[in-house]
Amino acid sequence: MGSNQSNTSEVIGYTYTWVEFEDDWFAQGASRYVYKGTFHGDPYLEGKCCVVKVYKEEWYDRLSEYAWVADDRAYRKADEMAQLFNNMYQTSKPIEFVKPEFTRVDTRAGFNFLGFLPFERKIKGTFGGTSDSVSNIIPSKATLAVERYLGGQYVKFNSNTGYSDRADFASPAAFSHFTYHESNGEILVCDLQGVRTSSGYKFTDPAVLSGGPELGAYGPADLGKFGIVKFFLNHRCNELCKKLKKPKITNVTLGERVILDKIVDNMPSHSASTYTYQLIESSGIPTMEANTIQNKLRLEAVYEEPVLPSEQDKDSSPLPATRPEATDDVYGNVAPDLSCLRNLVVIENEPGRGQFGKEPLEKTLGIHEAGKETKVAVETLKGL
């Protein structure tokens, strides 16, 4: 009296390949539902597992383009950087990003009564434990991103807000740092997730943080310069990070720095991906002000300048390596003539005397400018 109908896709590109995917999603993010699927149509792929991601929204309002276009742009940039990293470092475990293929929904789960009268099937709803009609979860002709299935233990190595896991594996964190260095501060690839096998790392769904004037240029997970600053606040360099550039904050007023700090401080350092709209929600900063900071703020990619032995007090010793601030610093100018690292305060251009000293910094208590003279009150670390 009838036949069941599955969720299927149209053919992918100019191939004969199409996919069939399950009724219920097994994971979801802010912009997509994720399903288990199977390849069909190509004898080399027939029956092999894949992952199918259904876009909740077709249009990316921030850039006025289809949502999949920004995701494809992020993949291509991440793939470009992975090739450069592999050529530069020649590690035993090269990095690869799984290429997403884009297509559209063809048929949706249902039952065809008498072979031609369709009835929608009830499937898992927006939230676990709920159900809904298939048309409310999988829109007609919705865009799909199809990726090959990654077997093995799936790991979130870092997020787009500075979270980092598995510090015993050097390549993922160093790769993110390398992308900032190699692009001269234009981008930073992060949100690295996937599997580590005997042949290398295979990542999927990366986030690309833009150092350019536009927030969200690489999609909704592009947290721009705010994400870049947050990454380096939490990043701990390893052996692969030697001689890589880090950001120096320039061209920002004290008031704008307050806004920057508020947004960065309220960004969650957890494994889940964070989206541009959440920057506004978590910080309470209006969208227009956040966009202005992204547009105006300059992050200059610079090499870290080590303190030479001759510049140190003979009786002083280096900051202990056990202190995170002693090994990884984020540069930032907090007032004219004052360069502030996380563990050092340096007055670089004191009129008439030049650079006069560096002090280990616990916290900056205040900055006061009187005419040509800059004064800074600091609380220094004792007993180092």
Side-chain angles (χ1 to χ4, degrees):
M1 296 296 289
S3 60
N4 287 312
Q5 178 175 282
S6 302
N7 294 318
T8 65
S9 77
E10 297 178 352
V11 294
I12 299 172
Y14 297 101
T15 71
Y16 295 103
T17 307
W18 56 279
V19 298
E20 180 180 18
F21 56 101
E22 295 181 349
D23 290 358
D24 297 331
W25 52 266
F26 71 88
Q28 67 166 308
S31 59
R32 297 177 299 188
Y33 294 107
V34 186
Y35 297 79
K36 296 177 181 178
T38 308
F39 285 112
H40 297 288
D42 183 331
Y44 295 101
L45 293 174
E46 183 66 36
K48 291 186 177 179
C49 295
C50 64
V51 174
V52 180
K53 300 174 181 179
V54 179
Y55 282 80
K56 298 178 181 180
E57 301 289 343
E58 289 291 305
W59 197 249
Y60 182 36
D61 288 332
R62 178 175 283 275
L63 295 182
S64 297
E65 64 181 7
Y66 286 109
W68 71 267
V69 174
D71 288 342
D72 187 52
R73 185 162 55 246
Y75 158 75
R76 292 179 186 278
K77 179 57 71 174
D79 180 64
E80 173 192 337
M81 287 293 157
Q83 294 181 46
L84 292 171
F85 180 84
N86 294 336
N87 290 336
M88 176 74 71
Y89 287 93
Q90 300 288 317
T91 69
S92 61
K93 292 206 170 14
I95 288 174
E96 173 193 355
F97 285 91
V98 176
K99 186 180 190 305
E101 302 286 354
F102 299 96
T103 184
R104 291 189 178 275
V105 168
D106 185 18
T107 64
R108 294 176 293 180
F111 180 78
N112 290 325
F113 182 66
L114 298 178
F116 64 92
L117 294 176
F119 286 86
E120 287 192 351
R121 191 176 298 167
K122 288 285 187 180
I123 61 175
K124 183 189 286 187
T126 303
F127 305 102
T130 66
S131 63
D132 205 341
S133 297
V134 65
S135 60
N136 290 334
I137 303 300
I138 306 175
S140 176
K141 299 298 180 182
T143 299
L144 305 176
V146 180
E147 301 172 357
R148 73 178 190 269
Y149 173 75
L150 296 178
Q153 183 182 3
Y154 197 86
V155 178
K156 187 71 174 274
F157 292 93
N158 65 28
S159 74
N160 61 342
T161 56
Y163 164 88
S164 181
D165 194 14
R166 297 311 301 263
D168 50 326
F169 299 147
S171 289
F175 170 73
S176 290
H177 190 165
F178 169 83
T179 62
Y180 181 81
H181 166 89
E182 186 66 20
S183 67
N184 201 33
E186 290 185 3
I187 58 97
L188 187 148
V189 181
C190 57
D191 221 11
L192 303 180
Q193 53 203 310
V195 299
R196 180 181 185 268
T197 69
S198 59
S199 60
Y201 292 92
K202 293 177 174 59
F203 295 142
T204 180
D205 210 15
V208 178
L209 309 180
S210 173
E214 194 161 22
L215 185 64
Y218 287 92
D222 174 9
L223 306 182
K225 296 169 185 175
F226 306 107
I228 292 174
V229 170
K230 185 74 169 183
F231 172 84
F232 280 100
L233 283 171
N234 291 340
H235 176 60
R236 298 292 172 259
C237 285
N238 57 51
E239 287 299 309
L240 298 180
C241 297
K242 288 182 177 179
K243 298 182 180 179
L244 296 183
K245 297 175 184 176
K246 295 181 180 181
K248 179 178 181 179
I249 299 173
T250 63
N251 195 38
V252 63
T253 67
L254 200 55
E256 290 166 341
R257 183 59 187 260
V258 170
I259 296 174
L260 170 64
D261 289 345
K262 186 172 183 180
I263 292 176
V264 171
D265 289 345
N266 283 282
M267 290 168 64
S269 294
H270 55 45
S271 61
S273 301
T274 300
Y275 299 92
T276 49
Y277 75 90
Q278 292 174 306
L279 293 182
I280 311 306
E281 290 182 352
S282 62
S283 66
I285 300 296
T287 301
M288 184 175 296
E289 290 188 25
N291 288 338
T292 298
I293 298 296
Q294 173 73 21
N295 182 277
K296 183 178 178 182
L297 178 66
R298 184 184 174 198
L299 293 182
E300 182 183 355
V302 298
Y303 290 102
E304 184 172 2
E305 297 180 6
V307 179
L308 299 177
S310 60
E311 295 177 332
Q312 295 179 347
D313 189 300
K314 293 181 180 180
D315 296 327
S316 67
S317 59
L319 292 177
T322 54
R323 291 188 61 87
E325 300 91 329
T327 56
D328 297 288
D329 303 308
V330 176
Y331 296 83
N333 288 351
V334 295
D337 301 326
L338 178 66
S339 291
C340 181
L341 282 66
R342 293 184 69 197
N343 67 334
L344 296 174
V345 164
V346 185
I347 306 296
E348 294 182 338
N349 296 310
E350 188 196 22
R353 293 180 60 184
Q355 181 171 307
F356 70 80
K358 301 186 177 185
E359 285 291 333
L361 172 66
E362 180 64 51
K363 61 183 176 180
T364 302
L365 303 179
I367 299 169
H368 175 68
E369 294 183 59
K372 295 182 178 180
E373 188 177 17
T374 300
K375 298 179 180 180
V376 58
V378 301
E379 180 180 321
T380 57
L381 301 175
K382 303 298 183 182
L384 296 179

